[in-house]
């Protein structure tokens, strides 16, 4: 399943790849679709090294990093580059995974923002890949909102020793 077939367009987010870059990009998508995530990362890394501002390779590296169980810092790095070059990336999964990364780092307001963007896109564009994570995204959003509010509204705690009751 192709997660993002936008490379045929040409703009700041999705430039036309030429020659070996186009071939490597297409092979990277094929590797992703066949669950060869390390190969996908390798090919997309090669494409991004020559096309620094192309967002799509960072998207595939980020999602592949999730699939291979990479550390959140690695996943975050890929998606940070993606959003740096394309702040309004059209694939909801980028926002979902970045929301999960923010949640992992206890950055709950940021998680809420990213997960809401996931739902904004997912609710407008039917995609089986979005359906797979929809319930989990709802759970992350619920807890991110709850924990963000809890952090914002912490009551001060001044414990006092009660003689005869405290030991």
């Amino acid at each position: 399943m192709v997660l993002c077939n936008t490379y045929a367009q040409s703009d700041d987010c999705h430039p036309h790849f030429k020659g070996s870059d186009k071939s490597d990009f297409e092979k990277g998508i094929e590797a992703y679709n066949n669950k060869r995530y390390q190969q996908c990362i390798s090919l997309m890394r090669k494409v991004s090294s020559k096309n620094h501002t192309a967002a799509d390779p960072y998207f595939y590296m980020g999602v592949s990093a999730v699939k291979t169980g990479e550390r959140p810092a690695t996943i975050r790095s890929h998606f940070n580059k993606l959003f740096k070059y394309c702040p309004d990336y059209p694939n909801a999964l980028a926002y979902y995974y970045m929301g999960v990364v923010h949640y992992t780092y206890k950055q709950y307001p940021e998680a809420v923002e990213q997960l809401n963007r996931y739902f904004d896109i997912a609710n407008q564009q039917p995609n089986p890949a979005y359906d797979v994570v929809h319930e989990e995204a709802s759970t992350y959003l619920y807890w991110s909102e709850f924990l963000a509010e809890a952090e914002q509204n912490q009551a001060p705690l001044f414990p006092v020793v009660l003689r005869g009751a405290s030991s």
Side-chain angles (χ1 to χ4, degrees):
M1 161 185 16
V2 174
L3 295 177
C4 181
N5 192 11
T6 57
Y7 63 92
Q9 303 174 21
S10 184
D11 59 29
D12 291 340
C13 293
H14 317 288
H16 284 295
F17 297 116
K18 296 179 181 167
S20 65
D21 292 339
K22 180 177 181 180
S23 175
D24 287 341
F25 184 75
E26 291 171 350
K27 287 177 188 174
I29 291 174
E30 183 181 332
Y32 180 87
N33 290 335
N34 290 310
K35 298 180 172 51
R36 296 188 316 264
Y37 303 117
Q38 289 297 343
Q39 181 183 12
C40 175
I41 291 170
S42 178
L43 288 162
M44 293 300 177
R45 187 174 286 129
K46 187 175 174 184
V47 172
S48 69
S49 72
K50 296 178 192 172
N51 303 274
H52 301 291
T53 62
D56 291 333
Y58 296 113
F59 172 78
Y60 279 100
M61 285 189 283
V63 176
S64 294
V66 168
K67 302 289 186 179
T68 59
E70 290 286 336
R71 297 174 308 134
T74 302
I75 297 164
R76 175 196 257 177
S77 174
H78 295 307
F79 286 118
N80 278 341
K81 288 177 186 173
L82 167 78
F83 293 129
K84 176 182 176 183
Y85 299 121
C86 189
D88 295 317
Y89 196 72
N91 192 305
L93 291 179
Y95 302 98
Y96 165 72
Y97 288 123
M98 195 61 167
V100 172
V101 167
H102 284 303
Y103 182 89
T104 301
Y105 283 109
K106 299 181 181 182
Q107 299 167 326
Y108 304 118
E110 293 87 350
V112 169
E113 180 182 340
Q114 294 296 317
L115 291 164
N116 278 327
R117 288 189 78 184
Y118 159 81
F119 283 109
D120 288 345
I121 294 170
N123 290 336
Q124 293 176 13
Q125 302 172 0
N127 184 328
Y130 301 163
D131 296 341
V132 170
V133 299
H134 189 82
E135 187 175 332
E136 202 169 280
S138 295
T139 302
Y140 275 112
L141 180 59
Y142 171 82
W143 283 107
S144 295
E145 289 172 335
F146 176 81
L147 292 167
E149 186 177 329
E151 280 184 346
Q152 189 174 16
N153 298 318
Q154 289 183 4
L157 178 64
F158 303 107
V160 182
V161 175
L162 298 175
R163 295 190 187 271
S166 298
S167 57

